[in-house]
Amino acid sequence: MEYTKPYRSLFGEDGILEPFAKKIERRLGDMEGFFADEEAYKSLLKEDPLIYTVYEMPAPAEEGQFSYATTILYPGKVGEEYFMTKGHYHAKRGTGEIYVGISGCGVLLMQTQEGEVKSMEIVKGTVAYVPPYWAHRTINTGGENFVFLAIYPADASHDYGSIAEEGFAKILVERDGRPRLIGKDEY
Ligand code: S6P
Ligand code: ZN
């Protein structure tokens, strides 16, 4: 039998994994249809800002293996809506995930296929559990980078399609200078 060899990475408050195997950058232009305010989206698209960067260490996609990744979610808003990740279900629905806050502050938004929504704040030192079957997205509600670590089954695989088509039932917007979760049709 071929064993996977153990390995490790280091990260600091900036969230850059050393070493990492894969780096993914998502710009505003990669997120058409994700933000509620289409006019604000179009006008910000001229700058096409970087929304988040992911540093990944994927393990072989086999049952029992774990992958880990850090995400650096930059501060900003599209209209009143904070910068956020695309969000996804795991393609293998019965797999969960663990999030660990590294720096900055934000919200982990989760939703079941039936439309139940849960949100929790993540700051440095927060450990949050995303159980199987919950779609998950992170949102930067602060003025600095929101950085976190995610640990997930290596065979979970991502289903982005469902969220890209239907979105989350709730969105996080800034109202009176504070984050407020509202129905996506209330924008
Ligand atoms: C992977 C984990 C995170 C996200 C990352 C980017 O299961 O949840 O590493 O991939 O935060 O978000 P998204 O929705 O674009 O994959
Ligand atoms: Zn995930």
Side-chain angles (χ1 to χ4, degrees):
M1 160 157 188
E2 275 268 336
Y3 293 116
T4 302
K5 298 269 194 302
Y7 51 86
R8 67 175 180 179
S9 306
L10 289 174
F11 58 80
E13 300 235 319
D14 63 4
I16 299 170
L17 267 191
E18 295 282 357
F20 65 86
K22 204 174 155 192
K23 180 180 175 181
I24 303 157
E25 290 186 326
R26 296 260 185 256
R27 297 193 164 270
L28 190 68
D30 302 314
M31 297 184 71
E32 196 181 347
F34 280 83
F35 292 94
D37 189 333
E38 284 173 26
E39 286 307 310
Y41 178 86
K42 267 188 224 152
S43 97
L44 196 58
L45 202 52
K46 291 169 203 135
E47 296 164 35
D48 197 16
L50 193 56
I51 309 292
Y52 57 101
T53 305
V54 182
Y55 291 92
E56 267 189 350
M57 278 298 265
E62 301 160 355
E63 199 176 339
Q65 301 256 18
F66 288 94
S67 296
Y68 56 83
T70 52
T71 301
I72 301 152
L73 182 51
Y74 304 104
K77 279 180 293 173
V78 179
E80 295 180 305
E81 198 176 2
Y82 298 103
F83 281 7
M84 61 188 183
T85 58
K86 286 186 166 184
H88 58 267
Y89 286 96
H90 288 164
K92 189 174 175 185
R93 289 289 199 273
T95 55
E97 179 157 355
I98 291 172
Y99 274 70
V100 182
I102 299 173
S103 65
C105 64
V107 165
L108 172 61
L109 186 66
M110 291 162 282
Q111 177 173 312
T112 65
Q113 221 128 13
E114 287 73 29
E116 188 185 350
V117 174
K118 288 270 180 219
S119 74
M120 42 186 67
E121 272 182 51
I122 305 279
V123 293
K124 178 181 178 172
T126 307
V127 182
Y129 180 48
V130 181
Y133 301 100
W134 289 80
H136 40 287
R137 154 181 292 164
T138 45
I139 302 157
N140 187 345
T141 53
E144 49 192 273
N145 292 354
F146 173 37
V147 182
F148 56 88
L149 172 75
I151 303 162
Y152 48 99
D155 60 348
S157 189
H158 299 131
D159 166 14
Y160 289 103
S162 314
I163 297 298
E165 277 160 36
E166 295 152 37
F168 278 73
K170 301 216 168 157
I171 61 172
L172 200 63
V173 295
E174 187 175 278
R175 296 266 163 97
D176 304 320
R178 303 183 57 195
R180 245 186 75 196
L181 200 59
I182 60 166
K184 71 168 175 190
D185 305 321
E186 285 174 62
Y187 190 87

